[in-house]
Amino acid sequence: MWILTFREIAHKQVIQIESGVCLGRIDDAEIDPESSAVHSFIMLGRSRLFGLMGREPSLVIDWDDVVKFGVDAVLVKTALPETGAELPWWKRKLKAL
């Protein structure tokens, strides 16, 4: 049996298995205090303007979407987050030109 600590999991890259895209690293976990079972992993969104404008939406990966924990990566089958929908106003203006 292979036991991983959260620190070891947090240092691994998260890879979306269908497209091979690297989603980043796990920042937090949702754990049920009654059963001590992991329900999901949370990847925080990127900060906007050094954190002054908040963050992009976080990505929540359900435990059922985790396919495999590897030596260097965690393989998941979750859907890719949509990136084009939330462009800042100045990027939308530049695209319109």
Side-chain angles (χ1 to χ4, degrees):
M1 178 184 236
W2 190 28
I3 298 175
L4 290 172
T5 64
F6 179 75
R7 183 176 295 227
E8 291 171 334
I9 293 171
H11 287 305
K12 297 178 185 296
Q13 294 288 333
V14 177
I15 307 293
Q16 203 267 355
I17 200 165
E18 293 173 1
S19 63
V21 173
C22 178
L23 300 175
R25 297 177 191 262
I26 294 172
D27 294 306
D28 204 355
E30 182 182 355
I31 300 172
D32 181 15
E34 299 291 324
S35 64
S36 300
V38 177
H39 284 284
S40 61
F41 292 114
I42 301 168
M43 300 175 64
L44 299 176
R46 290 185 294 175
S47 60
R48 296 180 183 158
L49 193 62
F50 307 108
L52 297 174
M53 301 294 289
R55 289 188 168 273
E56 292 180 2
S58 297
L59 177 63
V60 178
I61 301 169
D62 290 332
W63 178 255
D64 296 333
D65 290 340
V66 175
V67 176
K68 182 150 181 103
F69 289 97
V71 175
D72 296 329
V74 179
L75 300 178
V76 297
K77 60 179 178 180
T78 188
L80 289 175
E82 297 199 16
T83 56
E86 298 192 22
L87 289 176
W89 64 270
W90 56 273
K91 282 189 179 179
R92 287 193 302 260
K93 292 278 188 187
L94 287 175
K95 270 192 156 182
L97 296 175

